[in-house]
């Protein structure tokens, strides 16, 4: 290594032309200090290179130690301690001296190192390589790559070595932490993706693209929908072609439109299409491509599509009204088979002698220690399912008493059916609502209202703006069953059964699946009505049924109060009489003569009458929705004591939901002679 000192600035020039002499200090420096500095540099920065002539390592190290000691002895006597410390620190921390290290330690900027480039040659044995590897792990190198392993061990103090090892440990820990964070982030993303995948409905819901066919679904309707879209665009361009007097295109489009229409027909899925449909679709696509090149006008196409959309929207609204009316009509129409059954049974009943028209065990009818049921119905088949399902699931049928009330039209049929098919050891009694002499218009407000001219006009006058035939949106409130007193008889239970303490009220569109005797032991806590609540977050609350714009309703009831269900209700008739429930019902029914508090029906006045007097039952006692909701949970149905087909899709109608119908049909013996003669089958 050669160390130079440049003479600049305040340095003294060598003037060849002048006769000036160098200062004595400069002469001493070059003659004495230069060799010493050379030895110091060699001692401090040597890399202990291994000689090519395979000189032993121990001998090189002894020479190095001898030179260092000799140099340090002379340097300490000539240089100050501060200069020596700076040189030593720079060597230990930074490697060979550099101009930056001098500047950093406030030395003269004229000091610099030139021609330094040493390397460690890996020509030693495998044992020396292992030693070098261990040295690297224990003490990482600085900037000077040329420092040998032996020299690194020599110049590294224990404290510095510990600091280096600590830094290495910190780096390794940071690297491990980063890897762990990365793994945690990946795991979090994977878990999130798994959760999202669970919430995705895997069912193929008619995947569709207007540009390509989808073959993932066996029952795909993509081709049908694509052809229908082609037909829509064909109609648009037919109108534009006629407008622009392109008669040839107009005629060609009409031909292709007729062909596509015949190929599609009434098909709802690709499997329903005619075998020629793909060819027709291809031909239509070619014509539409040609027409688009000649007739496409964004403004015109947009206008035509908007007009077609408005027309289609009007048609949908009209069809929806018709559908609502027809569904209501279908729900309230008695099927031919049930009407046939009723007529045949009625004839047979009135052919019986009077002494054979009586039911056994009539002494149980007023025994308060038995389990009494109230069932008001004009449907023989539905009533038979309620009675049969209750008896078949009862622990002791002999303790069950059924009180049936029907109208005079079905009185004979109802009696004859249960005379022919007695409910095992249970007691049954059938009554005619028209024979209740106390049930008249002077006593019953709703009967008076039903007989009024305004009510008759509401139902039957065709030219009335709110009549049934006008297609009003309130058709569901104009149900013919509301004209029957059978529907309102539930508000007069103590009057019908004055000697009973408790009674279980059942609708005729329910099926019993478990023993119901546990309901008689439920503590109602002083309430009159035990029922299952039906409210969700905002559904089936009081504001759904009552008119809260009316001050009488707003002042007396909470719009967010929870509704409950009719269909299976346990009534405490003693408490009923004490609180005069029938009187409360009469009061509110009189106030609603003009239907300003609620529409027609029995649930709204029931909510009002039993407000604050209803005890909520466990939901498993009564599961609703099988007459309108296709998403009722199967486990809820199977675990329910009573399932209720509330809604328009009653199980005895053709519009019933097939998935729920079997719960009802299993309690009917379709091989019965009367059922077979009336073509009633599953």
């Amino acid at each position: 290594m050669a160390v130079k000192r440049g003479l600049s600035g305040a340095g003294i020039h060598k003037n060849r032309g002048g006769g000036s002499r160098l200062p004595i200090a400069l002469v001493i420096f070059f003659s004495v200090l230069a060799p010493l500095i050379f030895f110091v540099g060699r001692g401090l920065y040597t890399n202990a290179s291994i000689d090519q002539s395979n000189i032993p390592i121990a001998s090189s190290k002894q020479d190095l130690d001898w030179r260092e000691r000799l140099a340090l002895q002379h340097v300490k006597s000539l240089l100050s301690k501060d200069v020596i410390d700076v040189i030593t620190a720079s060597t230990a921390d930074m490697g060979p001296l550099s101009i930056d290290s001098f500047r950093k330690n406030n030395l003269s900027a004229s000091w610099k190192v030139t021609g330094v480039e040493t390397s460690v040659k890996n020509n030693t044995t495998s044992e020396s390589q292992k030693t070098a590897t261990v040295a690297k792990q224990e003490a990482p190198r600085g900037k000077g790559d040329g420092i040998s392993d032996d020299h690194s061990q020599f110049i590294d103090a224990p404290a510095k070595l510990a600091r280096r090892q600590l830094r290495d440990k910190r780096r390794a820990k940071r690297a491990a932490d980063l890897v762990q964070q990365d793994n945690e982030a990946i795991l979090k993303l994977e878990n999130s993706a798994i959760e999202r995948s669970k919430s995705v409905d895997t069912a193929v819901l008619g995947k569709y693209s207007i540009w390509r066919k989808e073959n993932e679904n066996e029952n795909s309707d993509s081709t049908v929908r694509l052809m229908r879209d082609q037909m829509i665009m064909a109609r648009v361009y037919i109108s534009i072609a006629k407008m622009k007097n392109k008669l040839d295109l107009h005629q060609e489009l009409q031909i292709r439109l007729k062909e596509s229409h015949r190929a599609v027909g009434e098909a709802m899925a690709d499997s329903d299409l005619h075998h020629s449909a793909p060819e027709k679709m291809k031909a239509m696509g070619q014509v539409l491509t040609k027409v688009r090149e000649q007739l496409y006008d964004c403004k015109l196409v947009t206008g035509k599509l908007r007009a077609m959309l408005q027309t289609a929207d009007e048609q949908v609204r009209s069809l929806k009204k018709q559908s609502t009316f027809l569904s209501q009509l279908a729900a309230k129409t008695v099927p031919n088979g049930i009407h046939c059954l009723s007529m045949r049974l009625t004839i047979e009943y009135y052919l019986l002698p009077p002494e054979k028209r009586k039911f056994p065990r009539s002494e149980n009818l007023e025994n308060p220690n038995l389990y009494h049921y109230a069932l008001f119905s004009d449907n023989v088949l539905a009533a038979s399912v309620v009675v049969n399902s209750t008896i078949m699931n009862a622990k002791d049928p002999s303790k069950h008493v059924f009180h049936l009330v029907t109208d005079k039209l079905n009185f004979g049929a109802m009696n004859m059916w249960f005379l022919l098919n007695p409910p095992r050891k249970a007691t049954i009694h059938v009554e005619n609502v028209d024979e209740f002499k106390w049930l008249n218009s002077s006593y019953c407000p709703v009967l008076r209202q039903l007989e009024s001219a305004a009510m008759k006009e509401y139902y039957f006058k065709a030219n009335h703006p709110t009549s049934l035939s006008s297609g009003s949106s309130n058709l569901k409130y104009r149900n013919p069953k509301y004209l029957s007193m059978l529907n309102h008889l539930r508000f007069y239970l103590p009057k019908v059964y004055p000697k009973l303490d408790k009674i279980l009220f059942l609708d005729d569109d329910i099926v019993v699946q478990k023993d119901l005797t546990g309901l008689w032991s439920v503590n109602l806590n002083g309430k009159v009505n035990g029922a299952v609540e039906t409210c969700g977050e905002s559904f089936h609350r009081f504001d759904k049924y009552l008119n809260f714009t009316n001050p009488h309703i707003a002042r007396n009831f909470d719009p967010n109060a929870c509704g409950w269900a009719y269909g299976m209700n346990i009534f405490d008739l003693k408490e009923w009489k004490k609180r005069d429930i029938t009187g409360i019902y009469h009061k509110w029914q009189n106030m609603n003569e003009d239907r300003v508090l609620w529409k027609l029906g029995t649930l709204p006045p029931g909510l009002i009458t039993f407000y604050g007097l209803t005890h909520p039952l466990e939901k498993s006692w009564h599961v609703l929705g099988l007459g309108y909701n296709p998403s009722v949970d199967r486990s809820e149905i199977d675990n329910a004591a009573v399932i209720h087909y509330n809604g328009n899709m009653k199980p005895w109608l053709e519009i019933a939901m097939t998935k729920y119908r079997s719960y009802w049909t299993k309690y009917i013996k379709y091989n019965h002679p009367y059922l077979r003669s009336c073509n009633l089958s599953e």
Side-chain angles (χ1 to χ4, degrees), residues 20-75:
S20 60
R21 300 183 177 206
L22 293 172
I24 296 174
L26 191 59
V27 173
I28 293 172
F29 175 81
F30 281 108
S31 61
V32 178
L33 294 182
L36 294 177
I37 292 172
F38 172 78
F39 287 123
V40 171
R42 290 287 293 178
L44 293 175
Y45 307 114
T46 183
N47 290 321
S49 306
I50 300 174
D51 193 75
Q52 294 292 334
S53 58
N54 295 326
I55 299 175
I57 296 175
S59 176
S60 297
K61 188 172 183 181
Q62 289 176 0
D63 294 341
L64 177 63
D65 293 343
W66 174 81
R67 287 195 297 270
E68 286 178 347
R69 285 196 300 272
L70 180 63
L72 287 172
Q73 287 176 3
H74 291 283
V75 169

Side-chain angles (χ1 to χ4, degrees), residues 650-661:
K650 303 298 184 187
W652 56 83
L653 299 175
E654 291 184 2
I655 61 174
M657 283 185 275
T658 308
K659 61 191 294 188
Y660 302 141
R661 199 164 186 268

